Amino acid sequence: MTSQPTLTEPENDPGRPGGPGAPGDSGLQAGLKNRHLSMIAIGGVIGAGLFVGSSSGIATAGPGILLSYALVGTLVVLVMRMLGEMSAANPTSGSFSAHADRALGPWAGFTIGWLYWFFWVVVLAVEATAGAAILEGWIPAVPQWGWALIVMVVLTATNLVSVGSYGEFEFWFAGIKVVAIGAFIVIGGLAVFGVLPGVDSDQAGLANLTGHGGFLPNGAGAILTGILLVVFSFMGSEIATLAAGESEDPQRAVTKATNSIIWRIGVFYLGSILVVVCLLPWDSKSITEDGSYVAALDSLGIAHAGQIMNFIVLTSVLSCLNSGLYTASRMAFSLGRRGDAPKAFARTTGRGVPRTAILVSVVFGFVAVFFNYKFPDSVFLFLVNSSGAVALFVWLVICFSQLRMRKIIQAEAPEKLVVRMWLYPYLTWASAALIVFVLGYMLTDTEHDGRTTMLLSLLVAAIVLVIAVVKQRVAGRRAEDRDEIPAG
């Protein structure tokens, strides 16, 4: 009979704030306030990809891109529900990686933890470069690499001070994004219904949803292609469950973030994209040339629309950088606590900051930035493509972890099921099947580099998995050798 992994009490979990650590190690501290967690949860689903990446999706699927966003949004809601169930029952700084470790085995926690860390350090380079390009356009006296350096240093310093300073920065970054999208939806909605002065009513209106070739001008297959183009802009919704581990009431924070994910995705993604495709015909050249949101603002006759959107995108970039560094460092911290990374990663300062984990993560981020400027079409392209499917890998692991963890929780601590996955296990299996389908469909996509991204991501995942299996077997043999040594 095989032994079942057991639930770890939050207060005894070394990955939890105040948990036992090395001598003189205070562990993570509960420095995030409720308002920080609320805004992190809201801002986590609003990445720069929403502003920058939606243009190609609209050009590919037309108004039908709304179905692509709806399908991916539904998948994210379901995955977050699963993650919320596990995290509310056992809050931990490693989130889904720690849950996979307990539910599926150390190999799973090791593999998905390191892949997730790898994803975010590459994101650091992508976002730092994007932010630097905007800043250089405003102040060209400072070269682009100089701005990238400045941005990385400032946000590294912020994360090194305390988790509270990260939370405060993210509160304002996310707040600007939320206000901006909210204003865009309200103003754009008024224009669509013809109650905003100065707007060409012949161009803006609900007729754009079915005109110009219909709702699906490029066929139903374009919905699937649209899914590939928009799925990665949803990465980040899980950050709230990692950050909850450093809040005063982790269970409440996780429950609140999980329950609010539906309206967050519905309003910020579906709502804003609906406004864009109603304000302009989907085949308008300005959408691909200027970007969907800039083109929509221009169509309203708003002065300096491009600069306004650049400011909003910059805010999103800084938010993503800030959260990316935080997320990568906490995942490294959790891996260190579980023995899957050097022990130094698990050491914290007196303020509860995992300094080594932060510095190592940012060093890899700097290296990736260097590759972006020096070898953009070779080394950096490989890094981006090989981390591209990690979001889907993470979601798939969450599905399988929840299938096992539900049984464990019910057997050992059913009172901890304060968040429950709907229609378990049917919706969990359906979600896993949809993810596998999207992964398989990526292998057929040569037009948007889906196949390249999938193959390289699988290669990196296979390498990390082999390391995980070898490490687990070596650890097992050492344990057997220790057991065979007779007591003195």
Side-chain angles (χ1 to χ4, degrees):
M1 182 176 177
T2 58
S3 60
Q4 287 250 354
T6 58
L7 276 174
T8 306
E9 292 294 328
E11 60 268 21
N12 296 325
D13 179 4
R16 285 275 300 114
D25 181 3
S26 61
L28 299 178
Q29 295 180 0
L32 292 176
K33 301 176 182 178
N34 287 335
R35 64 182 179 89
H36 294 155
L37 262 297
S38 297
M39 200 57 75
I40 288 170
I42 295 173
V45 296
I46 310 172
L50 173 62
F51 302 108
V52 179
S54 56
S55 302
S56 56
I58 294 172
T60 298
I65 194 65
L66 287 166
L67 295 180
S68 302
Y69 273 103
L71 285 170
V72 179
T74 301
L75 178 60
V76 171
V77 167
L78 295 176
V79 170
M80 277 297 293
R81 189 75 185 182
M82 300 174 217
L83 182 55
E85 177 181 294
M86 295 185 289
S87 297
N90 187 26
T92 174
S93 62
S95 188
F96 53 84
S97 175
H99 302 320
D101 190 293
R102 296 187 183 99
L104 305 177
W107 64 270
F110 179 99
T111 304
I112 206 63
W114 276 113
L115 285 176
Y116 192 69
W117 179 86
F118 173 58
F119 170 85
W120 279 110
V121 294
V122 173
V123 167
L124 290 180
V126 173
E127 302 296 340
T129 305
I134 295 173
L135 289 167
E136 185 191 30
W138 291 344
I139 308 177
V142 179
Q144 193 174 116
W145 66 265
W147 278 120
L149 180 65
I150 292 170
V151 166
M152 291 279 277
V153 168
V154 169
L155 293 180
T156 301
T158 300
N159 275 265
L160 285 173
V161 172
S162 69
V163 68
S165 62
Y166 154 73
E168 198 63 32
F169 265 68
E170 190 57 24
F171 176 81
W172 292 106
F173 285 153
I176 292 173
K177 290 190 291 186
V178 169
V179 171
I181 293 185
F184 175 81
I185 292 173
V186 171
I187 295 172
L190 293 174
V192 169
F193 290 103
V195 293
L196 189 69
V199 175
D200 183 1
S201 58
D202 292 335
Q203 188 178 39
L206 295 176
N208 285 326
L209 292 175
T210 54
H212 305 273
F215 185 71
L216 294 171
N218 296 323
I223 298 174
L224 295 176
T225 306
I227 287 176
L228 301 185
L229 296 174
V230 306
V231 66
F232 305 111
S233 66
F234 282 84
M235 192 66 165
S237 54
E238 70 290 332
I239 292 175
T241 63
L242 281 91
E246 291 177 82
S247 67
E248 296 175 354
D249 190 350
Q251 190 179 75
R252 178 177 178 273
V254 168
T255 303
K256 188 175 180 181
T258 303
N259 291 336
S260 63
I261 187 72
I262 297 176
W263 72 261
R264 286 186 276 133
I265 289 178
V267 171
F268 297 122
Y269 276 85
L270 290 177
S272 62
I273 294 296
L274 175 62
V275 168
V276 170
V277 294
C278 285
L279 285 176
L280 286 170
W282 70 272
D283 54 356
S284 173
K285 291 183 179 180
S286 60
I287 289 181
T288 52
E289 292 175 355
D290 303 327
S292 53
Y293 287 81
V294 172
L297 288 175
D298 274 333
S299 73
L300 299 179
I302 295 178
H304 310 294
Q307 292 303 323
I308 292 173
M309 190 50 60
N310 274 339
F311 173 75
I312 296 171
V313 171
L314 178 63
T315 303
S316 295
V317 164
L318 294 177
S319 172
C320 192
L321 264 173
N322 194 37
S323 288
L325 182 53
Y326 171 83
T327 305
S329 65
R330 268 39 176 198
M331 185 57 71
F333 169 86
S334 178
L335 289 166
R337 281 292 175 99
R338 287 180 274 140
D340 290 336
K343 291 182 179 179
F345 285 20
R347 298 196 187 107
T348 58
T349 66
R351 290 176 173 265
V353 175
R355 181 166 53 198
T356 303
I358 291 175
L359 292 176
V360 170
S361 299
V362 82
V363 164
F364 274 85
F366 275 125
V367 171
V369 170
F370 170 76
F371 285 144
N372 193 7
Y373 287 116
K374 194 70 175 176
F375 311 106
D377 298 323
S378 54
V379 179
F380 187 71
L381 188 61
F382 169 81
L383 292 176
V384 172
N385 284 333
S386 61
S387 64
V390 167
L392 292 166
F393 295 162
V394 167
W395 296 347
L396 192 60
V397 167
I398 289 173
C399 291
F400 290 125
S401 297
Q402 190 265 338
L403 285 169
R404 187 89 187 276
M405 282 297 289
R406 166 64 78 90
K407 297 177 182 178
I408 299 169
I409 300 170
Q410 285 179 325
E412 298 184 3
E415 72 279 1
K416 291 186 176 182
L417 278 173
V418 293
V419 176
R420 289 175 178 265
M421 176 59 185
W422 305 298
L423 296 178
Y424 168 85
Y426 307 109
L427 274 182
T428 303
W429 279 113
S431 300
L434 178 57
I435 295 168
V436 171
F437 174 78
V438 173
L439 289 171
Y441 187 73
M442 285 182 70
L443 291 172
T444 69
D445 177 47
T446 56
E447 184 179 353
H448 301 95
D449 296 326
R451 177 183 292 177
T452 301
T453 297
M454 189 63 212
L455 291 175
L456 290 178
S457 295
L458 284 173
L459 173 64
V460 172
I463 292 172
V464 177
L465 179 59
V466 168
I467 295 172
V469 172
V470 171
K471 176 183 177 298
Q472 187 172 343
R473 289 185 177 179
V474 169
R477 288 173 184 170
R478 287 177 179 172
E480 289 176 2
D481 293 340
R482 285 196 300 269
D483 292 339
E484 291 174 359
I485 298 175

